[in-house]
Short mmCIF file of all heavy atoms in Angstrom, two decimals:
data_model
loop_
_atom_site.label_atom_id
_atom_site.label_comp_id
_atom_site.label_asym_id
_atom_site.label_seq_id
_atom_site.Cartn_x
_atom_site.Cartn_y
_atom_site.Cartn_z
N LEU A 1 0.78 -1.23 0.00
CA LEU A 1 -0.01 0.02 -0.03
C LEU A 1 0.88 1.24 -0.03
O LEU A 1 0.36 2.34 -0.42
CB LEU A 1 -0.92 -0.01 1.25
CG LEU A 1 -2.02 -1.09 1.28
CD1 LEU A 1 -2.75 -1.02 2.54
CD2 LEU A 1 -2.99 -0.96 0.11
N ASN A 2 2.06 1.19 0.48
CA ASN A 2 2.84 2.46 0.64
C ASN A 2 4.20 2.50 -0.02
O ASN A 2 4.82 3.61 -0.03
CB ASN A 2 3.15 2.64 2.17
CG ASN A 2 1.85 2.76 2.94
OD1 ASN A 2 1.15 3.74 2.91
ND2 ASN A 2 1.39 1.67 3.62
N SER A 3 4.61 1.46 -0.69
CA SER A 3 5.93 1.49 -1.41
C SER A 3 5.72 1.53 -2.92
O SER A 3 4.58 1.29 -3.39
CB SER A 3 6.83 0.27 -1.01
OG SER A 3 6.21 -0.91 -1.45
N GLY A 4 6.79 1.87 -3.65
CA GLY A 4 6.62 1.98 -5.11
C GLY A 4 6.38 3.32 -5.58
O GLY A 4 5.86 4.17 -4.84
N LYS A 5 6.66 3.64 -6.85
CA LYS A 5 6.55 5.00 -7.33
C LYS A 5 5.00 5.41 -7.48
O LYS A 5 4.73 6.59 -7.41
CB LYS A 5 7.25 5.10 -8.70
CG LYS A 5 6.60 4.24 -9.79
CD LYS A 5 7.34 4.42 -11.11
CE LYS A 5 6.79 3.57 -12.24
NZ LYS A 5 7.49 3.80 -13.57
N ASP A 6 4.14 4.39 -7.63
CA ASP A 6 2.68 4.77 -7.74
C ASP A 6 2.19 5.31 -6.43
O ASP A 6 1.21 6.05 -6.41
CB ASP A 6 1.88 3.51 -8.13
CG ASP A 6 2.26 3.11 -9.53
OD1 ASP A 6 2.73 3.93 -10.32
OD2 ASP A 6 2.10 1.89 -9.86
N ASN A 7 2.75 4.95 -5.32
CA ASN A 7 2.32 5.42 -4.01
C ASN A 7 3.13 6.56 -3.42
O ASN A 7 2.92 7.03 -2.32
CB ASN A 7 2.32 4.19 -2.97
CG ASN A 7 1.37 3.16 -3.38
OD1 ASN A 7 0.22 3.46 -3.76
ND2 ASN A 7 1.74 1.89 -3.28
N GLN A 8 4.12 7.07 -4.31
CA GLN A 8 5.03 8.12 -3.73
C GLN A 8 4.21 9.38 -3.56
O GLN A 8 3.50 9.81 -4.34
CB GLN A 8 6.13 8.34 -4.81
CG GLN A 8 7.18 9.31 -4.31
CD GLN A 8 8.38 9.38 -5.28
OE1 GLN A 8 8.19 8.81 -6.43
NE2 GLN A 8 9.39 10.13 -5.00
N GLY A 9 4.46 9.95 -2.35
CA GLY A 9 3.80 11.17 -2.02
C GLY A 9 2.42 11.02 -1.38
O GLY A 9 1.80 12.00 -0.94
N LYS A 10 1.87 9.87 -1.43
CA LYS A 10 0.51 9.64 -0.84
C LYS A 10 0.57 9.57 0.69
O LYS A 10 1.61 9.23 1.30
CB LYS A 10 -0.10 8.41 -1.40
CG LYS A 10 -0.43 8.47 -2.91
CD LYS A 10 -1.19 7.18 -3.33
CE LYS A 10 -1.58 7.28 -4.83
NZ LYS A 10 -2.27 6.03 -5.24
N ILE A 11 -0.52 9.84 1.32
CA ILE A 11 -0.64 9.84 2.75
C ILE A 11 -0.89 8.42 3.20
O ILE A 11 -1.81 7.73 2.72
CB ILE A 11 -1.74 10.78 3.27
CG1 ILE A 11 -1.38 12.25 2.83
CG2 ILE A 11 -1.86 10.67 4.81
CD1 ILE A 11 -2.48 13.21 3.19
N ALA A 12 -0.10 7.89 4.10
CA ALA A 12 -0.30 6.52 4.62
C ALA A 12 -1.35 6.56 5.76
O ALA A 12 -1.39 7.45 6.61
CB ALA A 12 1.03 6.03 5.20
N VAL A 13 -2.19 5.55 5.69
CA VAL A 13 -3.24 5.39 6.65
C VAL A 13 -2.96 4.19 7.51
O VAL A 13 -2.79 3.11 7.01
CB VAL A 13 -4.64 5.22 5.99
CG1 VAL A 13 -5.75 5.04 7.05
CG2 VAL A 13 -4.96 6.47 5.12
N LEU A 14 -2.86 4.38 8.85
CA LEU A 14 -2.47 3.34 9.74
C LEU A 14 -3.68 2.74 10.40
O LEU A 14 -4.61 3.42 10.76
CB LEU A 14 -1.53 3.86 10.84
CG LEU A 14 -0.19 4.46 10.32
CD1 LEU A 14 0.64 4.96 11.57
CD2 LEU A 14 0.59 3.48 9.51
N ASP A 15 -3.65 1.43 10.51
CA ASP A 15 -4.71 0.71 11.24
C ASP A 15 -4.53 1.02 12.76
O ASP A 15 -3.51 1.44 13.22
CB ASP A 15 -4.63 -0.76 11.00
CG ASP A 15 -5.01 -1.13 9.64
OD1 ASP A 15 -5.77 -0.38 8.99
OD2 ASP A 15 -4.61 -2.18 9.14
N VAL A 16 -5.58 0.79 13.47
CA VAL A 16 -5.58 1.00 14.96
C VAL A 16 -4.50 0.04 15.56
O VAL A 16 -4.53 -1.15 15.20
CB VAL A 16 -7.00 0.73 15.58
CG1 VAL A 16 -6.91 0.89 17.08
CG2 VAL A 16 -8.04 1.65 14.95
N GLY A 17 -3.73 0.65 16.41
CA GLY A 17 -2.68 -0.20 17.03
C GLY A 17 -1.34 -0.13 16.32
O GLY A 17 -0.35 -0.79 16.81
N LEU A 18 -1.27 0.43 15.08
CA LEU A 18 0.00 0.46 14.38
C LEU A 18 0.62 1.92 14.50
O LEU A 18 -0.06 2.88 14.50
CB LEU A 18 -0.25 0.13 12.92
CG LEU A 18 -0.58 -1.32 12.51
CD1 LEU A 18 -0.80 -1.42 11.06
CD2 LEU A 18 0.48 -2.29 13.05
N ASP A 19 1.92 1.88 14.54
CA ASP A 19 2.67 3.21 14.69
C ASP A 19 3.98 3.05 13.82
O ASP A 19 4.75 2.14 14.04
CB ASP A 19 3.02 3.46 16.12
CG ASP A 19 3.82 4.75 16.24
OD1 ASP A 19 3.57 5.63 15.40
OD2 ASP A 19 4.59 4.89 17.15
N PHE A 20 4.08 3.96 12.82
CA PHE A 20 5.27 3.87 11.93
C PHE A 20 6.31 4.87 12.41
O PHE A 20 6.02 6.11 12.72
CB PHE A 20 4.82 4.25 10.44
CG PHE A 20 6.01 4.26 9.50
CD1 PHE A 20 6.59 3.07 9.06
CD2 PHE A 20 6.50 5.44 9.10
CE1 PHE A 20 7.71 3.08 8.22
CE2 PHE A 20 7.64 5.48 8.20
CZ PHE A 20 8.23 4.26 7.80
N GLN A 21 7.52 4.49 12.49
CA GLN A 21 8.64 5.30 12.93
C GLN A 21 9.68 5.32 11.84
O GLN A 21 10.24 4.30 11.49
CB GLN A 21 9.18 4.80 14.23
CG GLN A 21 10.36 5.59 14.78
CD GLN A 21 10.92 5.16 16.09
OE1 GLN A 21 10.20 4.41 16.83
NE2 GLN A 21 12.12 5.57 16.46
N GLN A 22 9.99 6.44 11.32
CA GLN A 22 10.99 6.63 10.27
C GLN A 22 12.38 6.52 10.88
O GLN A 22 12.62 7.14 11.95
CB GLN A 22 10.84 8.03 9.57
CG GLN A 22 11.86 8.26 8.49
CD GLN A 22 11.52 7.53 7.21
OE1 GLN A 22 10.35 7.40 6.88
NE2 GLN A 22 12.55 7.08 6.44
N LEU A 23 13.26 5.74 10.22
CA LEU A 23 14.61 5.60 10.66
C LEU A 23 15.55 6.47 9.83
O LEU A 23 15.48 6.40 8.59
CB LEU A 23 15.09 4.10 10.58
CG LEU A 23 14.44 3.17 11.60
CD1 LEU A 23 15.01 1.80 11.35
CD2 LEU A 23 14.58 3.67 12.98
N GLY A 24 16.37 7.28 10.42
CA GLY A 24 17.30 8.08 9.69
C GLY A 24 18.67 7.38 9.66
O GLY A 24 18.89 6.41 10.33
N MET A 25 19.56 7.95 8.81
CA MET A 25 20.90 7.37 8.74
C MET A 25 21.64 7.69 9.99
O MET A 25 21.62 8.75 10.51
CB MET A 25 21.64 7.98 7.56
CG MET A 25 22.92 7.25 7.20
SD MET A 25 23.63 7.87 5.67
CE MET A 25 25.11 6.84 5.54
N PRO A 26 22.29 6.67 10.58
CA PRO A 26 22.92 6.90 11.88
C PRO A 26 24.12 7.88 11.82
O PRO A 26 24.44 8.47 12.79
CB PRO A 26 23.48 5.48 12.24
CG PRO A 26 23.59 4.74 10.91
CD PRO A 26 22.47 5.26 10.09
N LEU A 27 24.68 8.09 10.65
CA LEU A 27 25.75 9.05 10.49
C LEU A 27 25.27 10.20 9.61
O LEU A 27 24.63 9.99 8.58
CB LEU A 27 26.98 8.43 9.90
CG LEU A 27 27.65 7.31 10.75
CD1 LEU A 27 28.88 6.72 9.98
CD2 LEU A 27 28.11 7.85 12.01
N ASP A 28 25.58 11.42 10.07
CA ASP A 28 25.11 12.58 9.33
C ASP A 28 25.82 12.63 7.93
O ASP A 28 27.03 12.52 7.78
CB ASP A 28 25.58 13.79 10.17
CG ASP A 28 24.98 15.12 9.56
OD1 ASP A 28 24.30 15.00 8.53
OD2 ASP A 28 25.18 16.16 10.19
N GLN A 29 25.00 12.79 6.92
CA GLN A 29 25.54 12.85 5.53
C GLN A 29 26.43 14.00 5.35
O GLN A 29 27.42 13.97 4.62
CB GLN A 29 24.34 12.93 4.55
CG GLN A 29 23.53 11.64 4.44
CD GLN A 29 22.42 11.80 3.41
OE1 GLN A 29 22.32 12.81 2.84
NE2 GLN A 29 21.72 10.65 3.15
N ALA A 30 26.18 15.11 6.04
CA ALA A 30 27.03 16.31 5.94
C ALA A 30 28.43 15.96 6.43
O ALA A 30 29.42 16.51 5.91
CB ALA A 30 26.44 17.50 6.75
N GLN A 31 28.53 15.19 7.48
CA GLN A 31 29.83 14.74 7.95
C GLN A 31 30.58 13.92 6.96
O GLN A 31 31.78 14.16 6.81
CB GLN A 31 29.65 14.02 9.27
CG GLN A 31 29.18 14.83 10.44
CD GLN A 31 29.01 14.02 11.72
OE1 GLN A 31 29.13 12.74 11.69
NE2 GLN A 31 28.72 14.70 12.82
N PHE A 32 29.90 13.06 6.24
CA PHE A 32 30.50 12.36 5.14
C PHE A 32 31.08 13.25 4.12
O PHE A 32 32.22 13.06 3.66
CB PHE A 32 29.50 11.40 4.47
CG PHE A 32 29.37 10.06 5.23
CD1 PHE A 32 28.16 9.63 5.70
CD2 PHE A 32 30.46 9.24 5.45
CE1 PHE A 32 28.02 8.43 6.38
CE2 PHE A 32 30.32 8.07 6.07
CZ PHE A 32 29.06 7.63 6.59
N LEU A 33 30.29 14.22 3.70
CA LEU A 33 30.72 15.14 2.68
C LEU A 33 31.92 15.95 3.11
O LEU A 33 32.87 16.20 2.35
CB LEU A 33 29.55 16.13 2.24
CG LEU A 33 28.32 15.42 1.56
CD1 LEU A 33 27.27 16.51 1.36
CD2 LEU A 33 28.78 14.79 0.29
N ASP A 34 31.87 16.49 4.37
CA ASP A 34 33.00 17.17 4.90
C ASP A 34 34.32 16.38 4.99
O ASP A 34 35.40 16.87 4.69
CB ASP A 34 32.66 17.79 6.26
CG ASP A 34 31.58 18.82 6.25
OD1 ASP A 34 31.43 19.45 5.20
OD2 ASP A 34 31.02 19.12 7.29
N THR A 35 34.09 15.13 5.32
CA THR A 35 35.28 14.25 5.43
C THR A 35 35.89 13.97 4.04
O THR A 35 37.10 13.98 3.88
CB THR A 35 34.87 12.87 6.04
OG1 THR A 35 34.35 13.12 7.43
CG2 THR A 35 36.15 12.01 6.21
N GLN A 36 34.99 13.79 3.11
CA GLN A 36 35.46 13.54 1.71
C GLN A 36 36.14 14.82 1.14
O GLN A 36 37.22 14.70 0.52
CB GLN A 36 34.30 13.21 0.81
CG GLN A 36 33.72 11.81 1.10
CD GLN A 36 32.52 11.47 0.27
OE1 GLN A 36 31.80 12.36 -0.24
NE2 GLN A 36 32.32 10.16 0.06
N LYS A 37 35.63 15.97 1.49
CA LYS A 37 36.20 17.22 0.98
C LYS A 37 37.61 17.41 1.61
O LYS A 37 38.54 17.85 0.94
CB LYS A 37 35.33 18.41 1.28
CG LYS A 37 34.10 18.51 0.42
CD LYS A 37 33.25 19.73 0.86
CE LYS A 37 31.98 19.83 -0.02
NZ LYS A 37 31.17 21.01 0.40
N PHE A 38 37.71 17.10 2.88
CA PHE A 38 38.99 17.24 3.53
C PHE A 38 39.99 16.24 2.94
O PHE A 38 41.17 16.59 2.73
CB PHE A 38 38.82 16.88 5.02
CG PHE A 38 40.09 16.91 5.80
CD1 PHE A 38 40.71 18.11 6.18
CD2 PHE A 38 40.69 15.76 6.17
CE1 PHE A 38 41.91 18.13 6.89
CE2 PHE A 38 41.90 15.79 6.94
CZ PHE A 38 42.51 16.97 7.26
N GLY A 39 39.51 15.06 2.62
CA GLY A 39 40.46 14.10 2.00
C GLY A 39 40.92 14.58 0.61
O GLY A 39 42.07 14.44 0.34
N ILE A 40 40.06 15.12 -0.19
CA ILE A 40 40.47 15.70 -1.44
C ILE A 40 41.42 16.76 -1.30
O ILE A 40 42.47 16.81 -2.01
CB ILE A 40 39.18 16.23 -2.21
CG1 ILE A 40 38.30 15.06 -2.58
CG2 ILE A 40 39.60 16.96 -3.48
CD1 ILE A 40 36.96 15.51 -3.19
N THR A 41 41.20 17.65 -0.33
CA THR A 41 42.08 18.84 -0.16
C THR A 41 43.48 18.35 0.28
O THR A 41 44.49 18.88 -0.19
CB THR A 41 41.52 19.73 0.93
OG1 THR A 41 40.27 20.18 0.57
CG2 THR A 41 42.44 20.95 1.12
N GLU A 42 43.54 17.36 1.19
CA GLU A 42 44.84 16.85 1.67
C GLU A 42 45.67 16.22 0.53
O GLU A 42 46.85 16.51 0.37
CB GLU A 42 44.57 15.86 2.79
CG GLU A 42 44.18 16.43 4.09
CD GLU A 42 45.22 17.37 4.68
OE1 GLU A 42 46.28 16.96 5.09
OE2 GLU A 42 44.98 18.59 4.72
N VAL A 43 45.04 15.40 -0.28
CA VAL A 43 45.83 14.80 -1.38
C VAL A 43 46.17 15.82 -2.43
O VAL A 43 47.29 15.77 -2.92
CB VAL A 43 44.86 13.64 -2.02
CG1 VAL A 43 45.64 13.06 -3.21
CG2 VAL A 43 44.55 12.56 -0.99
N ALA A 44 45.25 16.71 -2.74
CA ALA A 44 45.57 17.79 -3.76
C ALA A 44 46.76 18.58 -3.28
O ALA A 44 47.59 19.09 -4.08
CB ALA A 44 44.33 18.60 -4.02
N LYS A 45 46.81 18.87 -1.95
CA LYS A 45 47.86 19.73 -1.43
C LYS A 45 49.24 19.05 -1.61
O LYS A 45 50.23 19.73 -1.93
CB LYS A 45 47.58 19.99 0.08
CG LYS A 45 48.67 20.82 0.81
CD LYS A 45 48.19 21.09 2.22
CE LYS A 45 48.16 19.88 3.05
NZ LYS A 45 47.80 20.10 4.50
N VAL A 46 49.28 17.83 -1.29
CA VAL A 46 50.61 17.09 -1.39
C VAL A 46 51.03 16.99 -2.85
O VAL A 46 52.19 17.16 -3.09
CB VAL A 46 50.44 15.70 -0.76
CG1 VAL A 46 51.65 14.89 -1.06
CG2 VAL A 46 50.23 15.83 0.77
#
């Protein structure tokens, strides 16, 4: 009922007694990007 491109953007309706909890990525994506940029800068500098 809720996955797939046909259901993208639709409002999910939960049955009584169900609770949906969204899980985020445990590591901040911004930290990944900053780490990658730092790595590029260090190699380029050398």
Side-chain angles (χ1 to χ4, degrees):
L1 295 174
N2 298 284
S3 63
K5 64 179 182 179
D6 293 336
N7 295 316
Q8 186 176 5
K10 291 184 178 181
I11 298 175
V13 180
L14 300 178
D15 292 336
V16 177
L18 290 180
D19 180 27
F20 177 76
Q21 181 177 342
Q22 181 76 37
L23 291 181
M25 190 172 182
L27 296 177
D28 189 357
Q29 292 183 356
Q31 292 179 352
F32 275 122
L33 294 177
D34 290 341
T35 302
Q36 289 177 335
K37 288 180 180 179
F38 177 76
I40 293 173
T41 302
E42 287 297 292
V43 176
K45 178 176 66 177
V46 170

